[in-house]
Amino acid sequence: LMPMYRTLPKNTHGNLERRSLRYLAYRYFHQKSALVIRGFEPTRPVNDSAWGAADILSEQVPGIVESVFESQHALEHGFDLQDAVQMVAALEQLIFDSESQLLEKIYGLQHKPLQRPLSEQGLGQVLEAYMAIWMAGDEVTPYLGKSGDLAQIFPHWDKIVHFAHGQVSALNYQRQHQRKLSTGTSGGNALLSRYSFEDAHAVVGTITSSFASFWESECREMKRKLSTLDRQHTGRVPLSKFYGKSLTDSEWRFGESESYLRDLGALDETSWLGKQVIIPNYIQGANNCVVAASHYMVCCINECEPIMAEIETAVGAPLARPQQLLELVGNLTLADDDGVKLDTALVAQLESIASANGGQVPIHGRLFAQWLHYVFPRDCAFPHKAGAAQALSPTQYGEGYLASDNEIETHAKDTSAEVPLATMAKEELQWMSQWSHDEELIASYDGLLAGPQQASGASKVVIAAGFIMFILAGLIGVVGFNRKAPNSDFLLPSHGKTHFV
């Protein structure tokens, strides 16, 4: 928490505003486990008198809300680092309780008493059922225990089961290691092969925290396929090629409708080349969260987070001089990148942001996030202005979330962008056409900068209640796993062709 805490603007008491505390908690969980806490979504409104997650926190952890976050001292003076730690602890308890409730439900479905220790085989049965309902909800209950059906419902079901059993192996190793340290022997294996409810809960806890890393190969494969269509490294794919990939590779994943892509904020409609899908906004969209529990979602890892974390650690303050940022960002390297290319246009844009803010750049502002997007167009999502996009799950969006066959075929036939993309230089394509000079800040910077009102007027500054998380997380998924495709009851994100029951 500390690197983020140091870089967030503080009030006159040296503490965080409510919006900043919420932002800090959101970032923490997304960095740690790619979890998105319900009620803390990027689009959830929040202001000085409402958390935007009152239904979550007040109902589930009322003691924390009343004693810490709603105390008169906090309301008058703001929130310090200890409050941030307590916020994180409260949310971790929320996740813990959510896991416990689902695990108790699985025990009940399998008629296993909570007090009776399980064999490793029995624990395996519990975990397989847990994974199915955790990922797909109650609708999958009739198929529990039917491996063939589950393999048709879930892409890579065998790997998912192997992953879950691997967590049991890890627990076994830990128990043996602890026993060896305490007794000097690794004996007593008969006792080690029995598992209490608490042991089962420990296993599902590791599943929650590590599943995003396990599933990341799917997210990376999706990004790889889109990146092959992005010849100029703009982080954008013509809508025609996006749908063409769906046709040529039998890829259902790239079948979201144009209107749904627009509402997700994954569609750039400012280019003379036509409509384009923004790769990181699509990858980090609500449509690509793989798990939806009652209080949180597991989404694709945000590849912009390590970049921002490195910047925060190096800067250590809410503001930075453009030269410091240019040197810092210019020395960053990514695993799938040849190196950072800071052309004159990007340098000028960063200097423009600074000139509108007394010579310094607010590193938690929309404009800096926008600049990072154009420096790392495939990794950092484009930060839309507040209210311009919605993080809606397919179920929340409705029946129109999938494109019709006719819509896909019509778009795929449009080849008007192919010749310019193949023959023109990146700069000639005017690839930064989506740039906006409107600034949005997550908290007040009073006393920290000579605001735009004292500068050239190049930017309009808004302390955006709805913005909060867009500056980095873009449109990280806010999705329940109820995504359905035609002729299928259940469907998970998958890069291959899969048949479903």
Side-chain angles (χ1 to χ4, degrees):
L1 290 173
M2 183 58 77
M4 283 186 281
Y5 182 82
R6 283 201 305 261
T7 61
L8 288 170
K10 312 296 191 302
N11 60 22
T12 55
H13 300 284
N15 294 326
L16 299 178
E17 295 180 8
R18 186 189 300 259
R19 290 182 292 261
S20 296
L21 181 61
R22 184 175 178 270
Y23 167 76
L24 189 69
Y26 180 97
R27 285 273 312 280
Y28 171 82
F29 283 98
H30 199 64
Q31 280 186 359
K32 182 182 177 184
S33 308
L35 296 182
V36 176
I37 309 299
R38 288 190 183 276
F40 283 65
E41 301 96 327
T43 52
R44 183 66 68 100
V46 60
N47 53 42
D48 289 334
S49 60
W51 283 101
D55 54 328
I56 299 295
L57 289 177
S58 295
E59 292 178 11
Q60 304 297 325
V61 281
I64 291 292
V65 173
E66 293 174 8
S67 66
V68 179
F69 307 127
E70 299 296 346
S71 70
Q72 193 62 34
H73 177 80
L75 295 176
E76 293 177 357
H77 300 282
F79 306 90
D80 59 19
L81 183 60
Q82 185 58 38
D83 293 327
V85 171
Q86 289 187 272
M87 168 73 92
V88 167
L91 293 174
E92 286 180 335
Q93 183 64 45
L94 187 67
I95 294 170
F96 181 89
D97 292 342
S98 176
E99 295 165 347
S100 182
Q101 291 167 10
L102 178 55
L103 196 56
E104 287 179 12
K105 180 178 180 179
I106 301 300
Y107 269 68
L109 288 173
Q110 297 186 354
H111 307 290
K112 291 179 168 65
L114 297 180
Q115 298 78 20
R116 188 181 72 191
L118 301 176
S119 65
E120 188 160 345
Q121 180 182 7
L123 179 58
Q125 294 170 348
V126 167
L127 291 178
E128 290 180 26
Y130 181 94
M131 294 299 297
I133 294 182
W134 187 56
M135 298 177 74
D138 291 335
E139 291 177 323
V140 80
T141 301
Y143 303 99
L144 296 180
K146 302 175 182 178
S147 298
D149 290 339
L150 292 174
Q152 292 188 4
I153 294 170
F154 296 95
H156 315 301
W157 176 245
D158 58 335
K159 294 180 180 179
I160 293 170
V161 171
H162 182 74
F163 164 78
H165 285 278
Q167 307 309 307
V168 179
S169 298
L171 176 64
N172 288 341
Y173 175 81
Q174 182 183 24
R175 292 165 71 176
Q176 290 170 351
H177 182 67
Q178 290 173 344
R179 183 175 181 83
K180 187 174 182 180
L181 289 177
S182 61
T183 66
T185 176
S186 58
N189 289 333
L191 292 176
L192 292 175
S193 62
R194 307 299 292 179
Y195 304 89
S196 66
F197 179 84
E198 289 71 25
D199 293 329
H201 197 173
V203 172
V204 300
T206 62
I207 288 173
T208 299
S209 61
S210 62
F211 194 73
S213 296
F214 163 76
W215 195 256
E216 183 60 13
S217 60
E218 292 296 307
C219 298
R220 287 185 176 274
E221 177 63 12
M222 179 168 54
K223 179 184 176 183
R224 185 194 66 78
K225 289 191 173 186
L226 292 177
S227 296
T228 61
L229 305 176
D230 176 25
R231 297 179 182 178
Q232 296 285 6
H233 208 285
T234 63
R236 286 157 173 74
V237 174
L239 190 59
S240 58
K241 288 185 174 294
F242 176 82
Y243 285 135
K245 196 69 172 174
S246 174
L247 292 174
T248 59
D249 290 7
S250 298
E251 263 282 14
W252 175 84
R253 187 192 295 276
F254 303 136
E256 289 88 350
S257 67
E258 178 185 332
S259 59
Y260 185 37
L261 292 170
R262 180 180 297 111
D263 281 5
L264 285 174
L267 197 63
D268 179 357
E269 301 182 80
T270 64
S271 174
W272 62 273
L273 292 170
K275 298 167 184 175
Q276 302 178 94
V277 175
I278 311 170
I279 293 175
N281 289 64
Y282 178 79
I283 300 294
Q284 298 169 21
N287 50 320
N288 284 314
C289 285
V290 65
V291 172
S294 55
H295 299 314
Y296 62 89
M297 287 75 66
V298 181
C299 305
C300 288
I301 292 173
N302 184 350
E303 295 186 340
C304 199
E305 274 292 347
I307 296 171
M308 191 60 186
E310 197 159 339
I311 292 171
E312 288 170 328
T313 299
V315 172
L319 302 165
R321 297 285 178 184
Q323 190 57 41
Q324 179 186 11
L325 293 171
L326 289 170
E327 292 175 0
L328 178 60
V329 172
N331 289 324
L332 294 176
T333 55
L334 303 178
D336 58 349
D337 209 327
D338 296 329
V340 179
K341 298 176 179 64
L342 295 174
D343 59 27
T344 54
L346 287 170
V347 172
Q349 291 287 17
L350 188 64
E351 292 175 343
S352 174
I353 297 172
S355 67
N357 292 288
Q360 298 193 83
V361 177
I363 65 171
H364 292 295
R366 195 194 76 84
L367 287 181
F368 182 61
Q370 183 175 239
W371 186 78
L372 280 180
H373 165 71
Y374 283 107
V375 177
F376 304 101
R378 292 178 180 173
D379 304 293
C380 296
F382 180 86
H384 292 280
K385 289 179 284 188
Q390 302 180 67
L392 294 174
S393 71
T395 300
Q396 289 171 320
Y397 188 80
E399 295 182 359
Y401 84 92
L402 279 178
S404 65
D405 292 343
N406 181 62
E407 183 182 358
I408 289 176
E409 291 174 3
T410 299
H411 280 293
K413 291 177 182 178
D414 182 5
T415 61
S416 59
E418 290 189 8
V419 172
L421 286 171
T423 60
M424 297 177 69
K426 187 175 181 179
E427 291 71 24
E428 294 179 290
L429 296 174
Q430 300 175 342
W431 72 291
M432 294 176 66
S433 59
Q434 204 172 5
W435 184 279
S436 164
H437 290 287
D438 291 342
E439 177 68 293
E440 293 179 349
L441 305 174
I442 64 169
S444 172
Y445 277 70
D446 289 349
L448 291 175
L449 48 76
Q453 68 275 11
Q454 301 175 23
S456 62
S459 302
K460 177 181 70 177
V461 174
V462 180
I463 299 176
F467 175 62
I468 304 296
M469 304 307 305
F470 271 104
I471 67 173
L472 284 177
L475 295 173
I476 298 293
V478 184
V479 58
F481 182 70
N482 298 309
R483 183 177 184 170
K484 296 187 178 180
N487 304 317
S488 69
D489 292 317
F490 310 103
L491 193 58
L492 287 177
S494 170
H495 65 263
K497 183 177 180 180
T498 308
H499 297 285
F500 304 89
V501 294

